[in-house]
Structure formats: C-alpha cells, structure tokens
Amino acid sequence: MGGLKTYEVRTYGCQMNVHDSERLSGLLEGAGYVRAPEGTPEGDADVVVFNTCAVRENADNKLYGNLGRLAPMKTKRPGMQIAVGGCLAQKDRDTIVERAPWVDVVFGTHNIGKLPVLLERARVQEEAQVEIAESLEAFPSTLPTRRESAYAAWVSISVGCNNTCTFCIVPALRGKEKDRRPGDILAEVEALVAEGVSEITLLGQNVNAYGSDIGDREAFSKLLRACGAIEGLDRVRFTSPHPRDFTDDVIAAMAETPNVMPQLHMPLQSGSDTVLKAMRRSYRQDRFLGIIEKVRAAMPDAALSTDIIVGFPGETEEDFEQTMHVVREARFAQAFTFQYSKRPGTPAADMEGQVPKAVVQERYERLVALQEEISWSENKKQVGRTLEVMVAEGEGRKDGATKRLSGRAPDNRLVHFNPALSAADGAEGTEGAAEEPVRPGDMVTVEVTYAAPHHLLAEGPAKAVRRTRAGDAWQKRQGAPAEPPKGVMLGLPGIGAPASTPAPAATGCGCD
C-alpha cells in the first residue's frame, strides 16, 4: 500500500444508509485513504466506520457486539481508528463513547461530511470526538461519492420526512423533509449517464412527497417525465412512496414515460383501518386498494411490492384478517414482512395492547405462507414472456455452479438466464456479442421458461444481447488500475474541508 492508510465501511439499514456509505467512502478516499482489499482480516483496516440504523431490531446490541470484538484488536494496533455514524449515532450520542470508550469518532446523520476532519482531530487531540449536528449543515449531494456499481446509481431527491408514524423513529433522526432543486437532481443524473450509468433509482424517505418543500405538488411527476428525456438513461426507478401522497399525475407519468419501469413499492404496513389510525398512517384500506387498481389499469404488467408489520399494538385477529384481505386483493409480487417489536423512542413502544410474541409469530407465518403462494402464482404468469434483462453483479448466488448469469427484468423481478446466444438470433443486433462475454450493465433478451416464488428462470439460449455503455463502464472499472488518492490528509482541525471541490452525490431513505 506504500504507507497509505486503509478504511472499511460497514453498513446497516435502509437504502439511505447504503448510499450514505458510498459517500463516506468517497470522503475518505478524497482525504487520502484507500479501501481495504476484499478479504482483509477483521481489525486490519486502519479506519473502521460503522454506518448504523436505529430501526432494525437489536441494532444497538449488534453494534456494541461488533465494537467489542474490535477492542482487543485496537489495543494491539494503537494507530487504528473506529468511527460510528448514522441513525443510531444520532440517537445515542454520548452513550456510544460511554459504552465503548475505544471509539474515536461519533457523527450524526446531518454532518457526515465532517468524518475526515473528526478522524484527524481525534488523532491529534488523542481523545474521542463526538459531533452531532441538530439540522442539515449542507445537502449531502455536495459530497464526493464512491459508487458501488458502475451501471446503476442512487440519486437522492430529498432527505428527511414530515410524517409521524408511531412505529418509526427515523424522522426524528433525519429531520424534516428537505427537497433538492430539480435542476440539481437532473444535472446529477446527466453526469451519471455520461459516466456510463444506465439505471438510476430516485431516493427519498417519502419520495413522492417531493415538491412539498419547494411548493410544487406535481414536482415528482414532472421529475419522472424529465428523466424520460435524458438520452442514454435506460431505466428509472424510485423508492419509497407513501400512499397518502401518491397522486394520479404520478401514475400517468409512470405509464407514459418509457424508461420509468413498471415497478412500484408501496408500503401497506396494515390492512386494518383501526391499526392504520393507531400507526398515524394517513390513508385507509379503500384508499390503498384504489391506488393499486389505478396502477394496474394504467400499467397491467406492473409488479407491486410492499412492507407489512404484523402484531402492532392493539392488533386483533379481525385486524389481521383485514391485512390478509388486502394482500389477497393487491396480489403483490413481493412483500417485506416484519414482526412488530418495540423501538425505544417511538410512541408505539408505550402503547397498551402489546400483542404476545406467540400470537405475532403465528400470524406472521400465516401471512408469509399466503404471500409465498401469491408470489409464486404471479411469477408463473411470466412463463413464456420475452423480457429484456439488465445483467446484474452479485444477484445470483449459484451462478458460478449453474453457469448462468442473473439480472433484473423491467418490473425488477430477478431472472437467472443462460448467457449463450442462439445461432438463429446471433446475427441480429448483437454486433459480435455472441463471441464476447456478457457484462453487468448489458441487456439480454430472454424467454422465461420456469417460475419460482422469488425468481424466474430462462433456460434456453438468449435471443439477443445488447452491449451497452453501462457494460463498458463496468469493464473499464474492472480493468482500470487503482488511481492514487488525489486528496491529502487534513492536518490540524482548523484547516477544514479539502481544497478540491467535491463532485455531486446523493442521499435519501426508503424507510416508509
């Protein structure tokens, strides 16, 4: 490494955390660190950053367990530094240093850009640095980023949330919604496409509330249509919307903009009006099913997914049956199901009528069984269809053994396929692709031959391969030698930010 310090970022939680970690990596590399190679033994990186979540069950126990394992390793390596950021850091603040005094830096969700400065300050002053900003200091899109994918990227359109759901602590930690200017968002998308990105996901904790902060209630649908005009952008997705703010103009924009994918993740949480009221979810069953009906009318092939919480305080068997009813009616392609558990700091944690664990477990198993049956039935409808799949990296755990590749259909279904090109189709529009390997980011046209509950299979030869600029970008990244970091270490605390102007990045959250 030639004396360069290495770093490792460990990420927990939602899409916002994942994308924030890309930004943390960019900040560290801009400050002179290099990423620890794959397979580096635990504790061997010079800086270990934990980007935490306060929503997941036992998040704090998991963090302190990991910190505990690093304590003896740090004792053996005095120069090693440990930093903790994210939602749990925003919530627990000084508690982290009290419980794990070997931690060097604690930073919050509003000031991730301070990480390099705080690390240097901790090194110079030889004491822990805890800095938690109460409000957003600067929109995170101004920070550098090290994207994990060459062909797909997150683009945040807002941070924070104005909702007050009783089961969620994230709005208290991320703050009120703050929207980016549409021109800034589109400039970032265009810059990403110029780098070879062909799929972007617009990200926000309540993505379709975009515009409330800038005074335009149709801003989100306008943004989707504007993305449709960007040449070279093949696919646009977004997550996560809220039923309260999901309007007809958004449905029309999705249906009428070719590169906006026929996929919608719409969190239900509960099908019971009584429970939805207790959750402070500002919609009811009829409203939710009405949205689903309109989406299917406009986009018959759209795949819908959702989030559901089982066993919220006060949930009766009748309430649970209402959730099952909505699942049967909506026929989700996929549902992310969760057993309710108390989250300290949320109103729901102190509500009466906490449902016994055994009851929650039994209901959860019934819901999972029903959704599994529906997912399989909906996937079987895909058999015989011809789909253009964007080749993905790391999606198929068994691809090496099966000699297959994996990717995502337009509706985001996972497809495992045979990369070989049939002789009959090899001459059509492939430009020699039959002889060259198919790469992540390339597009492959396949026919679905088998359906399982959670994936599709295309066993026959591919009908066509379209090599893309996104595939070129992936290939370039694989073959390009690692460039030495352009930044320098930040020196004394008073120096402040690096002199170089950071490139645009993004943020957001899908915890809806």
Side-chain angles (χ1 to χ4, degrees), residues 163-184:
N163 294 321
T164 57
C165 301
T166 54
F167 55 80
C168 184
I169 197 171
V170 170
L173 304 178
R174 294 280 182 178
K176 292 293 185 181
E177 180 178 326
K178 185 173 180 59
D179 294 337
R180 290 177 71 186
R181 293 174 51 188
D184 293 342

Side-chain angles (χ1 to χ4, degrees), residues 108-130:
T109 59
H110 299 307
N111 62 330
I112 64 174
K114 290 289 188 67
L115 176 60
V117 172
L118 293 172
L119 286 168
E120 185 69 1
R121 190 182 298 167
R123 183 179 293 112
V124 172
Q125 299 183 4
E126 297 185 342
E127 65 179 8
Q129 302 295 309
V130 179

Side-chain angles (χ1 to χ4, degrees), residues 140-419:
S141 59
T142 61
L143 301 176
T145 185
R146 182 193 191 280
R147 289 185 294 108
E148 293 300 314
S149 171
Y151 53 89
W154 306 104
V155 174
S156 79
I157 66 173
S158 64
V159 295
C161 180
N162 294 336
N163 294 321
T164 57
C165 301
T166 54
F167 55 80
C168 184
I169 197 171
V170 170
L173 304 178
R174 294 280 182 178
K176 292 293 185 181
E177 180 178 326
K178 185 173 180 59
D179 294 337
R180 290 177 71 186
R181 293 174 51 188
D184 293 342
I185 297 168
L186 293 170
E188 181 181 353
V189 173
E190 289 172 348
L192 288 168
V193 171
E195 293 174 10
V197 168
S198 61
E199 175 177 296
I200 60 106
T201 300
L202 303 175
L203 196 59
Q205 187 174 339
N206 181 2
V207 70
N208 60 312
Y210 176 73
S212 62
D213 181 50
I214 57 178
D216 185 355
R217 287 292 180 181
E218 294 190 354
F220 185 57
S221 62
K222 293 174 182 176
L223 184 62
L224 291 177
R225 293 183 186 275
C227 286
I230 297 176
E231 187 176 354
L233 181 59
D234 287 333
R235 294 184 171 188
V236 178
R237 305 187 190 276
F238 58 88
T239 193
S240 289
H242 190 294
R244 181 193 67 185
D245 301 298
F246 202 80
T247 49
D248 291 351
D249 61 298
V250 173
I251 297 173
M254 291 179 67
E256 296 166 10
T257 309
N259 66 352
V260 176
M261 294 294 96
Q263 172 217 351
L264 178 63
H265 182 75
M266 181 71 76
L268 169 64
Q269 308 302 6
S270 174
S272 162
D273 288 355
T274 302
V275 174
L276 288 171
K277 183 177 180 181
M279 289 177 167
R280 288 191 203 147
R281 300 286 288 180
S282 49
Y283 57 89
R284 299 297 178 258
Q285 182 187 119
D286 284 351
R287 161 74 172 153
F288 188 91
L289 288 175
I291 293 171
I292 301 301
E293 184 177 353
K294 288 179 180 179
V295 169
R296 292 211 188 279
M299 295 170 285
D301 293 331
L304 309 178
S305 57
T306 196
D307 297 330
I308 299 173
I309 297 172
V310 178
F312 188 81
E315 181 187 77
T316 65
E317 179 62 25
E318 183 179 352
D319 291 326
F320 176 68
E321 283 298 335
Q322 288 299 306
T323 296
M324 297 284 274
H325 168 71
V326 175
V327 170
R328 292 187 188 98
E329 290 293 312
R331 300 197 65 79
F332 301 111
Q334 187 178 20
F336 300 92
T337 52
F338 307 91
Q339 297 185 39
Y340 173 79
S341 60
K342 291 184 178 182
R343 296 292 186 271
T346 63
D350 299 321
M351 286 182 176
E352 295 181 357
Q354 301 286 329
V355 183
K357 172 66 176 175
V359 175
V360 177
Q361 180 67 34
E362 189 272 337
R363 290 176 184 169
Y364 175 79
E365 291 174 0
R366 272 193 283 155
L367 174 62
V368 169
L370 173 62
Q371 182 56 50
E372 193 88 350
E373 176 187 320
I374 292 171
S375 294
W376 200 357
S377 175
E378 291 300 303
N379 275 1
K380 286 177 181 176
K381 296 177 183 177
Q382 304 296 310
V383 174
R385 291 191 65 191
T386 297
L387 305 174
E388 187 173 54
V389 174
M390 178 181 282
V391 184
E393 187 173 28
E395 292 273 24
R397 290 173 295 176
K398 300 179 181 178
D399 283 353
T402 59
K403 306 300 183 186
R404 296 185 182 118
L405 295 178
S406 297
R408 295 284 173 175
D411 64 11
N412 208 40
R413 283 182 165 94
L414 178 62
V415 183
H416 304 303
F417 62 92
N418 177 0

